[in-house]
């Protein structure tokens, strides 16, 4: 690999961008998993609730929501408690 290209990929800015992309990917994956659990359980999810989950950028909060998604009767109940 030419030195200029290698330098670009090792540059602190490039490293930061890659790490931010990884974090965003984990966040998106966790949000989609919360929704997927509800879908697998055939629990309807309204647009507002779907947006609330997809707009959340807190991995810990998404995990908090994932646990009750396994047992709630209604998707809205996932947010109570």
């Amino acid at each position: 690999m030419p030195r200029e290209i290698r330098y670009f990929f090792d540059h602190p800015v490039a490293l930061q961008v890659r790490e931010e992309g990884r974090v965003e990917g984990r966040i998106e994956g966790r949000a989609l998993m919360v929704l997927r659990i509800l879908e697998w359980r055939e629990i309807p999810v309204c647009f507002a609730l779907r947006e609330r989950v997809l707009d959340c950028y807190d991995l810990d909060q998404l995990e908090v929501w994932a646990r009750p998604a396994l047992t709630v009767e209604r998707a809205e109940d996932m947010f109570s408690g």
Side-chain angles (χ1 to χ4, degrees):
M1 184 178 297
R3 181 179 174 163
E4 296 81 28
I5 293 174
R6 182 171 178 81
Y7 173 76
F8 171 77
F9 289 113
D10 291 337
H11 192 275
V13 172
L15 295 173
Q16 180 181 356
V17 167
R18 280 199 305 272
E19 181 57 29
E20 288 172 2
R22 286 186 198 110
V23 170
E24 287 177 17
R26 284 195 299 266
I27 290 168
E28 180 181 4
R30 190 161 300 169
L32 291 172
M33 183 54 66
V34 169
L35 296 172
R36 197 166 295 130
I37 290 168
L38 295 169
E39 177 186 322
W40 290 336
R41 296 187 58 228
E42 298 180 356
I43 295 178
V45 179
C46 70
F47 179 80
L49 190 143
R50 179 176 302 281
E51 289 302 304
R52 182 175 178 182
V53 172
L54 292 174
D55 287 345
C56 180
Y57 291 95
D58 182 340
L59 283 168
D60 294 331
Q61 182 61 62
L62 289 164
E63 183 155 337
V64 166
W65 291 339
R67 290 174 191 229
L70 296 167
T71 59
V72 294
E73 297 289 323
R74 299 173 325 124
E76 296 79 14
D77 297 340
M78 193 171 64
F79 301 107
S80 62

